[in-house]
Amino acid sequence: MYLLYVDQSGNPLDNNDDYFVLGGVALFERKVYWVNEAVDDLTENLFGPDYKISLRAQAINSHKYDPWHSMPTDQRLAVLADLCEITSQPDLVLFGVAVDKDFAPDPVARAFEEICNRFDLFLKRLHAQENTQRGLIIFERSKYEQTLAPFITEYRNQNTRFGQVKNFADAPAFADSNGTRLLDLAHLVSYAIYRRYQRANTMLLDQLIYNFDEEGGVIHGLVHLTRGAENCYCPSCLTRARRAPTQPHQETFRPGASAPRARTGSSEPTEA
Ligand SMILES: [Zn+2]
């Protein structure tokens, strides 16, 4: 089974935010332990074994509160770079949706629907490569229970709006951020995307971009929903504008091997 941990950036109710973003990290279930260990080791190297803290990219970058407030800038940037390095392991596949609020009347629903479909398309591709896997999306409990509860209920009760999603083991679930380090990495992904589109700051996304789900030169895992996307030069819009000609599949992905990011060919007619 593949697990996709998702977090959000941008406040859908704040008029100062032009964008709402969902971003996440997908990995094979047996990899979860090792990624948690890597983030725990990073934390222990910084603060010792008894200091428990979430490594939230927004808190590290804004450094309003300790321990980040009193940490020198170069050390904070090194922590962010270490988090990006962990998130850029070959077995981790990234997904993200940046919704311009002018594009969609309900950016939360649109982002939720899109990230479900993108993850499902990834699982469909694995199936086409004779590697059938189910998927499960896990959101951070504190942020999503109120925001996404109506959509989760709709998913469970009707399964119509998300009718294209066919490879999930169950409806999306919630987890506490202090229970898994994967939600720290999901936050890093969503925050990196938010910084790219809201602040035009590519520092974090540049370190993560090669791990987004990709096939045939198109970054399917990163979606930019905005008016005038045909004139946008972000990695998502640019790779779609320069879509490579379709070619046959040339490799097969197995759990434990490097994740399928740079595929040739397409078995996903609905991808765009
Ligand atoms: Zn774009």
Side-chain angles (χ1 to χ4, degrees):
M1 179 185 292
Y2 264 82
L3 305 175
L4 173 61
Y5 293 83
V6 176
D7 198 359
Q8 76 175 62
S9 284
N11 185 343
L13 303 178
D14 187 344
N15 290 332
N16 292 317
D17 278 340
D18 298 320
Y19 276 91
F20 175 78
V21 172
L22 288 180
V25 177
L27 71 173
F28 188 59
E29 57 185 312
R30 285 203 293 270
K31 297 289 182 183
V32 171
Y33 172 83
W34 299 107
V35 177
N36 269 310
E37 284 284 292
V39 183
D40 278 343
D41 288 347
L42 175 59
T43 310
E44 187 170 328
N45 290 336
L46 288 168
F47 304 111
D50 300 323
Y51 193 86
K52 303 300 181 187
I53 184 173
S54 295
L55 299 184
R56 308 289 287 180
Q58 193 277 334
I60 298 169
N61 193 52
S62 65
H63 62 95
K64 289 182 179 177
Y65 306 104
D66 275 329
W68 313 114
H69 180 67
S70 56
M71 183 177 285
T73 299
D74 57 346
Q75 193 174 349
R76 285 188 296 103
L77 293 177
V79 174
L80 289 172
D82 287 342
L83 278 175
C84 287
E85 185 174 347
I86 293 171
T87 310
S88 302
Q89 294 178 50
D91 296 326
L92 303 191
V93 185
L94 308 185
F95 293 85
V97 183
V99 184
D100 187 334
K101 290 180 180 177
D102 288 337
F103 180 85
D106 189 341
V108 178
R110 190 71 179 85
F112 177 75
E113 184 175 16
E114 193 68 40
I115 206 161
C116 287
N117 286 332
R118 293 291 145 181
F119 186 41
D120 189 58
L121 289 168
F122 166 75
L123 297 168
K124 283 181 182 174
R125 194 184 319 136
L126 293 186
H127 176 71
Q129 295 164 3
E130 299 181 349
N131 178 24
T132 301
Q133 298 283 338
R134 291 299 175 190
L136 182 66
I137 299 182
I138 300 165
F139 293 99
E140 184 188 7
R141 182 185 304 281
S142 60
K143 289 182 180 175
Y144 288 100
E145 279 198 311
Q146 290 188 339
T147 308
L148 290 179
F151 308 122
I152 302 289
T153 301
E154 184 179 353
Y155 178 99
R156 285 199 170 105
N157 292 343
Q158 301 179 22
N159 198 25
T160 52
R161 179 172 183 158
F162 311 101
Q164 298 298 315
V165 175
K166 298 177 179 176
N167 295 283
F168 290 179
D170 200 350
F174 296 102
D176 294 318
S177 61
N178 58 6
T180 172
R181 292 296 195 177
L182 270 301
L183 287 174
D184 284 348
L185 303 189
H187 172 71
L188 172 69
V189 176
S190 70
Y191 184 63
I193 297 169
Y194 175 82
R195 295 281 296 175
R196 167 62 179 80
Y197 291 103
Q198 182 70 40
R199 308 288 185 209
N201 186 321
T202 66
M203 181 190 76
L204 292 174
L205 190 60
D206 284 350
Q207 298 176 67
L208 303 172
I209 192 66
Y210 293 108
N211 273 64
F212 281 84
D213 184 38
E214 176 187 353
E215 182 188 41
V218 179
I219 304 175
H220 295 297
L222 179 61
V223 180
H224 182 203
L225 298 178
T226 186
R227 300 186 192 280
E230 65 275 10
N231 297 318
C232 179
Y233 291 95
C234 81
S236 171
C237 297
L238 199 58
T239 62
R240 284 165 173 79
R242 297 178 176 178
R243 183 187 296 267
T246 300
Q247 298 175 18
H249 286 293
Q250 294 182 345
E251 56 183 322
T252 300
F253 174 70
R254 299 287 184 189
S258 295
R261 293 185 287 107
R263 298 280 177 233
T264 56
S266 173
S267 59
E268 304 163 358
T270 59
E271 284 187 326

